[in-house]
């Protein structure tokens, strides 16, 4: 038996995916899981549903809830961090201030970092929380404890923590599943595809793509010649015009959220976004992000209602949603719940299978964020890269990246993205405001020094940014 802590466990869909995975791996029947969050309502909903799932799946997982971070991490062998300091409300508040000062989609929307909840400049509280969690893992965790980073920004967070805190740590993202989508759409059977991706989080590229041992890029090229892709929803961009345009420029296909993280060419305004990403303008347009947030809100509300319903009807079966689907509008997360209650399939999140590999010495392949240490040529050793690796109880073993990433991917995509990570990380560590300003001086939307001063002042004067203000200014 060992202890796991989920920090930010009120993120119910994510927590239920993780918990359902624990219930489905037979060796994990009696793990102790501490659910930690500062929001007691959300925490309680996760707790009710977790216990119900546990009971119906016949597992003996033990759940505890706490609002105390230290208590959660004390003695834990694995800590999963999915917390977002300030939540989506903070992100929107800061985005609004940015737009007022002439920064379309906010100051944290940057070249090669357009993802709308991936703040690096104004996200002091989130980075501060990352370090706090990591240091607690070092001080209070079980000997050799692991931190599994799910919360964004995974790239900045993984680099920052692995450079500054001596713990076992890995960052996870599900962006690489874009390869499954890509392969299936162009008519390939996934089990015959030999693939590799490499890069940094939200900046990964398909360096190896073989089908039955032959170059599958030729099949992709043929598909591109004969098809025009229309997105079915804002996140449906893996084969969008922008993905193909990036492929033509960089010589390799961008995978997953990399398609969102393109240059300004595709993001000047909504019209440009629509031209490249289709009618919704992509996930990070004002239309696409609103769609995502409305969905998240509806899911959170439905989960709270479902938890209440379960607490009032003890004979209800979570595994049979026909019993409650008419009472609740579960259409919004039907696919989610189907997967969570599917006893045969895991959720697709890598965290619990990773723990399984470490604890039970099951050698499995993952896509991980770890320090480069020579795996990708042309990138510093102490930068967190996202690469395929094999994991067993002796740890993480990176694959050799072959063939290499294209020269354009390294020179014109990864290096500029890494430079931005370095500026944001050094600013955060040193408290030197000049570094934050420098990021904005290099921003094509900046027209004057007053604009830079104005937007940073207004963001730092938000009540929740008192610590940030003191760090940078006093
Ligand atoms: P959310 O706001 O819905 O949930 C985050 C939870 O964190 C909330 O329950 C909140 O109360 C809690 N929280 C905030 N501050 C806390 C603190 N100090 N201590 C403990 N808990 C705290 O956000 P979300 O949409 O679920 O996203 C969560 C994070 O996961 C974000 O950073 C997002 O970017 C990231 N994310 C990562 C991936 C991935 O594959 N790596 C995918 C989707 C989202």
């Amino acid at each position: 038996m060992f202890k796991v802590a989920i920090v930010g466990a009120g993120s119910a869909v994510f927590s239920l995916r993780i918990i359902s995975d624990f219930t489905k791996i037979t060796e994990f029947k009696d793990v102790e899981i501490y659910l930690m969050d500062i929001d007691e309502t959300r925490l309680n909903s996760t707790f009710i549903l977790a216990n119900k799932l546990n009971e119906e799946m016949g597992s003996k997982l033990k759940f505890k809830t706490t609002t105390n971070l230290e208590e959660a991490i004390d003695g834990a062998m694995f800590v999963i961090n999915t917390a977002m300091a300030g939540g989506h409300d903070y992100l929107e508040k800061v985005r609004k201030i940015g737009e007022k000062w002439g920064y379309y989609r906010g100051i944290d929307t940057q070249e090669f970092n357009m993802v709308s909840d991936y703040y690096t400049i104004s996200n002091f509280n989130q980075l501060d929380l990352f370090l706090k969690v990591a240091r607690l893992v070092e001080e209070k965790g079980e000997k050799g404890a692991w931190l599994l980073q799910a919360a964004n920004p995974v790239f900045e967070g993984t680099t920052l923590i692995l450079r500054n805190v001596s713990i076992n740590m890995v960052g996870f993202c599900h962006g690489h599943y874009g390869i499954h989508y890509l392969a299936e759409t162009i008519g390939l059977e996934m089990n015959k595809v030999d693939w590799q991706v490499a890069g940094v989080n939200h900046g990964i590229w398909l360096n190896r793509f073989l089908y039955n041992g032959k170059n599958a890029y030729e099949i992709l090229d043929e598909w591109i010649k004969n098809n025009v892709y229309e997105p079915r929803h804002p996140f449906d961009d893996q084969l969008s015009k922008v993905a193909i345009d990036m492929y033509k420029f960089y010589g390799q296909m961008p995978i997953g959220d990399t398609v969102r993280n393109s240059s300004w060419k595709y993001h000047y305004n909504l019209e440009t976004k629509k031209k490249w990403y289709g009618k919704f303008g992509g996930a990070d347009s004002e239309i696409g992000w609103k769609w995502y947030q409305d969905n998240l809100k509806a899911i959170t509300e439905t989960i709270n209602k479902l938890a209440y319903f379960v607490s009032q009807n003890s004979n209800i079966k979570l595994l049979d949603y026909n019993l409650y689907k008419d009472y609740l509008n579960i259409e919004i997360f039907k696919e989610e719940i189907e997967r969570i209650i599917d006893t045969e399939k895991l959720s697709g999140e890598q965290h619990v299978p990773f723990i399984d590999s470490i604890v039970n010495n099951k050698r499995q392949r993952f896509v991980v964020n770890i320090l480069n240490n020579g795996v990708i040529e042309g990138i510093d050793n102490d930068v967190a890269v996202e690469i395929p690796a094999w994991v067993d109880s002796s740890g993480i073993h990176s694959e050799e990246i072959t063939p290499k990433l294209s020269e354009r991917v390294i020179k014109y995509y990864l290096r500029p993205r890494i430079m931005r990570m370095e500026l944001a990380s050094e600013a955060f560590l040193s408290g030197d405001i000049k570094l934050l300003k420098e990021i904005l001086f290099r921003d094509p939307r900046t027209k004057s020094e007053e604009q830079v001063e104005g937007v940073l002042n207004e963001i730092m004067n938000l009540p929740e940014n008192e610590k940030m203000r003191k760090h940078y200014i006093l």
Side-chain angles (χ1 to χ4, degrees), residues 361-417:
N361 197 21
K362 283 190 204 157
R363 193 174 137 79
Q364 299 181 85
R365 192 186 198 218
F366 296 90
V367 174
V368 296
N369 287 266
I370 51 172
L371 291 186
N372 184 33
N373 286 326
V375 176
I376 302 182
E377 270 178 42
I379 291 182
D380 288 345
N381 284 342
D382 65 346
V383 168
V385 289
E386 188 163 302
I387 45 167
W390 290 84
V391 179
D392 56 28
S393 59
S394 65
I396 302 176
H397 310 282
S398 315
E399 281 182 12
E400 187 188 340
I401 301 304
T402 160
K404 287 180 192 163
L405 286 171
S406 77
E407 205 178 315
R408 283 199 179 179
V409 165
I410 299 279
K411 271 166 90 173
Y412 302 127
Y413 189 94
L414 292 178
R415 286 197 191 140
R417 175 66 184 95

Side-chain angles (χ1 to χ4, degrees), residues 6-14 17 36-40 42-43 46 66-67 69 81-89 91 115-119 123 125-126 129-130 132-133 149-154 171-175 201-202 257 260 289 292 296-297 300 349-351 369 386:
I6 305 178
V7 178
S11 180
V13 169
F14 177 80
R17 285 186 200 161
M36 186 270 156
D37 204 291
I38 51 169
D39 182 329
E40 292 193 48
R42 293 179 71 162
L43 192 56
T46 305
T66 178
T67 52
L69 190 59
N81 184 8
T82 183
M84 184 156 80
H88 289 273
D89 287 351
L91 303 183
V115 170
S116 305
D117 58 358
Y118 210 97
Y119 279 22
N123 223 358
N125 291 335
Q126 178 78 335
L129 180 61
F130 284 5
K132 187 171 169 189
V133 169
Q149 182 72 24
N152 283 321
V154 166
F172 285 120
C173 181
H174 37 227
N201 179 234
H202 289 184
D257 299 308
R260 296 161 69 183
W289 197 245
Y292 179 67
L296 272 186
K297 219 183 204 167
T300 307
E349 297 290 348
Q350 300 186 88
H351 309 71
N369 287 266
E386 188 163 302

